[in-house]
Amino acid sequence: MTAYRRPLDVVILAAGQGTRMNSALPKVLHPVAGRPMVTWAVKAAQALGARNVVVVTGHGAEQVEAALATQHVMFARQEQRLGTGHAFLCGIDALSAALPAGGQEDADVLVLYGDTPLLRSTTLEAMLEDHRARGSALTLLTGELPDATGYGRIIRDAQGEVERIVEQKDATPEQERVGEFNSGVYLMDSRAGELAHRIGNDNAAGEYYLTDLLGLYRAEGEAAHAFKLTDPDEVMGANDRAGLADLEMILRRRINARHMRAGVTLQDPERISIEDSVVLGRDVTLEPGVILRGQTVLGEDVTVGAYSVVTDSVLEAGVVVKAHSVLEGAHVGAGSDVGPFARLRPGTVLGEGVHIGNFVETKNARLDTGVKAGHLAYLGDVQIGAETNVGAGTIVANYDGVNKHHTRIGAGVFIGSNSTIIAPRTVGDAAFIAAGSAVHDDVPEGAMAVARGKQRNIEGWSRRYWGGLRDNVQKKLPWLAGWLERQD
């Protein structure tokens, strides 16, 4: 964050409907790289050290305001959509009402948009520094494209200063060949609010256009300056789902490049998706198809295998997540390994050196140091002590059809394959559970629990049973019919 001599206020225009999105969700709430589009603008404004950020809402205002409720911003409602100038006026009036008398006189005002998530805060910081170094009253953020079709063109006077903005529909053939375009991002001095009240709507659409501020500043005898983007993609917006996918791709590449520069190995960057909120340590390795979401933190030397999805989870140093695993709301201790094809659900906490194998599912489970659950297990609402071995097919039956129940399993326990522990249970340290047991009572420390029916073999049963069904067996199970014939 950079401190400036004058305060900065930011108005973010986010009232549009975005009909081409064909969605019940307001346009600015469509997510890009893990954040709703409008929050990227808020993030950029706050990175500048803005004194106040006002978001102008309109379509889906309640949804937008709810999504930004924790972002420390103010809101202004544009009840009627009467153009960008009117939206800005709603924002500037809300800002003025929230400030003490005269509080805005020495502030610069920046206008941003809720559907342009690619605009970097470093670009805006450089624009602000240029604006103040020049002593400008109005600075426009512009870009240059070989073909600027669709954008308003920047027309300069003989001295090279910005003279006017010509919209695409009004441009002459000569003006259409101009490559410099208006991004719509403006940085103005404290007269912005006063001049905004002078914007008229004497046009075919009857709307108030923010671009008219240029003429109003020039009428005051002020020159308008342009700060040109080095990367015109920064002001790219999204009007439909295809445009949204383009933004996602660009942001994903930026994020991935940042992590690679910081010492992360991405084996196939084009097929790895990392949301902006994710934190990665040095020497992390991500295999193809990995998706990292939310408040995920990976420590140093973590490896995440192909096509795994990790959401809101912490993986400490040296963790290995093998292919096709899904982790959500989990904390995995250093040196542990998970998968392949494992699922860690919310509330899972693994100590150091824990082994979770293929097709093991955990939920609200705490596994202490060195616990091993290698195959085909469900561990829900359970605490398991250090160095316990969980056999293949083990189920902690935590739900009785109405309530969930908790089970505590001690340290050094051996649980045989295909055991079911019917919660709520306590299994003491160093206990054994025989394979195939259905444990419905507590197991004392050091005891062995055997909870299964005694086996008995009924000689000749198959011959008597299937022999009575010989005709059906002959048709449907010829291999069994052959066996029966051999018994005869």
Side-chain angles (χ1 to χ4, degrees):
M1 184 181 296
T2 303
Y4 295 97
R5 291 187 301 275
R6 295 193 302 274
L8 174 70
D9 294 325
V10 180
V11 177
I12 299 174
L13 306 187
Q17 182 173 357
T19 54
R20 281 179 283 176
M21 285 290 183
N22 192 23
S23 174
L25 190 68
K27 176 182 177 180
V28 298
L29 291 187
H30 281 268
V32 181
R35 298 178 187 270
M37 281 197 284
V38 67
T39 64
W40 287 94
V42 172
K43 181 184 176 186
Q46 292 175 339
L48 292 172
R51 178 179 66 176
N52 294 290
V53 179
V54 181
V55 179
V56 180
T57 62
H59 177 75
E62 294 84 0
Q63 290 173 271
V64 176
E65 291 167 12
L68 297 175
T70 62
Q71 299 296 310
H72 307 293
V73 299
M74 299 189 297
F75 298 104
R77 292 273 183 100
Q78 187 187 21
E79 301 294 351
Q80 293 179 286
R81 260 70 81 197
L82 300 176
T84 53
H86 178 255
F88 174 69
L89 191 59
C90 292
I92 207 76
D93 284 350
L95 183 64
S96 298
L99 293 172
Q104 201 177 341
E105 291 181 358
D106 63 343
D108 289 311
V109 181
L110 174 65
V111 178
L112 298 176
Y113 298 84
D115 61 351
T116 54
L118 301 183
L119 189 54
R120 294 180 173 94
S121 57
T122 52
T123 297
L124 294 173
E125 185 173 337
M127 178 183 178
L128 185 55
E129 289 176 349
D130 181 76
H131 173 80
R132 285 171 171 168
R134 287 172 176 263
S136 298
L138 170 64
T139 300
L140 293 78
L141 185 65
T142 70
E144 186 117 19
L145 288 169
D147 180 1
T149 299
Y151 287 100
R153 305 305 204 281
I154 298 296
I155 307 301
R156 294 177 179 266
D157 60 22
Q159 289 72 43
E161 299 294 342
V162 177
E163 181 178 36
R164 56 198 170 104
I165 301 167
V166 177
E167 298 300 331
Q168 173 75 35
K169 63 181 182 297
D170 300 321
T172 66
E174 181 181 0
Q175 290 168 340
E176 286 181 348
R177 290 192 289 272
V178 173
E180 188 176 11
F181 65 88
N182 173 39
S183 73
V185 175
Y186 304 114
L187 182 57
M188 298 161 280
D189 66 13
S190 57
R191 287 174 289 177
E194 174 196 343
L195 295 178
H197 282 87
R198 301 186 200 173
I199 297 174
N201 66 339
D202 186 15
N203 52 66
E207 293 188 350
Y208 300 85
Y209 297 129
L210 191 58
T211 51
D212 289 353
L213 278 173
L214 172 59
L216 292 168
Y217 267 103
R218 285 179 63 84
E220 293 283 303
E222 298 289 354
H225 297 104
F227 183 83
K228 191 177 289 188
L229 288 160
T230 56
D231 177 9
D233 281 351
E234 287 194 47
V235 290
M236 180 189 297
N239 293 318
D240 54 25
R241 304 300 177 110
L244 199 66
D246 290 338
L247 296 180
E248 179 78 31
M249 178 183 65
I250 292 170
L251 272 174
R252 185 172 68 241
R253 287 174 176 168
R254 279 189 195 174
I255 292 167
N256 289 356
R258 169 165 55 87
H259 286 301
M260 287 188 286
R261 287 193 297 269
V264 175
T265 295
L266 274 59
Q267 292 183 352
D268 188 349
E270 290 298 308
R271 289 194 290 158
I272 292 173
S273 177
I274 307 170
E275 292 187 351
D276 180 63
S277 51
V278 171
V279 177
L280 303 180
R282 188 173 58 179
D283 294 322
V284 164
T285 298
L286 305 180
E287 295 180 2
V290 167
I291 300 173
L292 304 180
R293 294 174 172 156
Q295 304 304 311
T296 291
V297 179
L298 273 56
E300 293 189 357
D301 296 307
V302 169
T303 297
V304 181
Y307 303 102
S308 293
V309 180
V310 184
T311 304
D312 295 328
S313 296
V314 176
L315 280 58
E316 296 183 10
V319 167
V320 175
V321 176
K322 298 177 183 177
H324 297 282
S325 295
V326 178
L327 287 70
E328 181 182 2
H331 189 121
V332 182
S336 296
D337 66 282
V338 176
F341 296 98
R343 185 183 182 195
L344 307 188
R345 292 167 58 190
T348 294
V349 178
L350 307 185
E352 295 185 3
V354 171
H355 168 63
I356 296 292
N358 48 286
F359 302 103
V360 174
E361 179 179 353
T362 64
K363 189 272 296 184
N364 194 25
R366 178 178 290 273
L367 280 59
D368 291 345
T369 302
V371 171
K372 295 177 175 60
H375 334 270
L376 303 162
Y378 173 68
L379 308 175
D381 295 293
V382 64
Q383 180 174 349
I384 303 177
E387 305 300 333
T388 286
N389 185 85
V390 179
T394 294
I395 295 174
V396 177
N398 57 328
Y399 184 49
D400 64 6
V402 179
N403 297 307
K404 300 289 180 71
H405 299 281
H406 190 266
T407 290
R408 183 190 180 282
I409 299 171
V413 173
F414 183 90
I415 303 174
S417 297
N418 291 324
S419 294
T420 300
I421 301 174
I422 303 168
R425 292 279 71 82
T426 297
V427 178
D429 294 346
F432 278 67
I433 296 175
S437 293
V439 177
H440 50 80
D441 289 318
D442 291 349
V443 181
E445 179 179 343
M448 178 175 181
V450 182
R452 60 194 183 204
K454 182 178 179 181
Q455 179 176 328
R456 63 191 183 99
N457 299 330
I458 303 174
E459 298 291 340
W461 183 89
S462 293
R463 185 178 179 185
R464 292 196 302 273
Y465 178 75
W466 291 111
L469 302 173
R470 187 176 296 273
D471 289 343
N472 285 333
V473 169
Q474 185 69 42
K475 293 176 183 178
K476 297 181 180 179
L477 298 172
W479 64 270
L480 183 57
W483 180 82
L484 289 170
E485 289 176 3
R486 288 195 298 273
Q487 304 313 303
D488 292 338

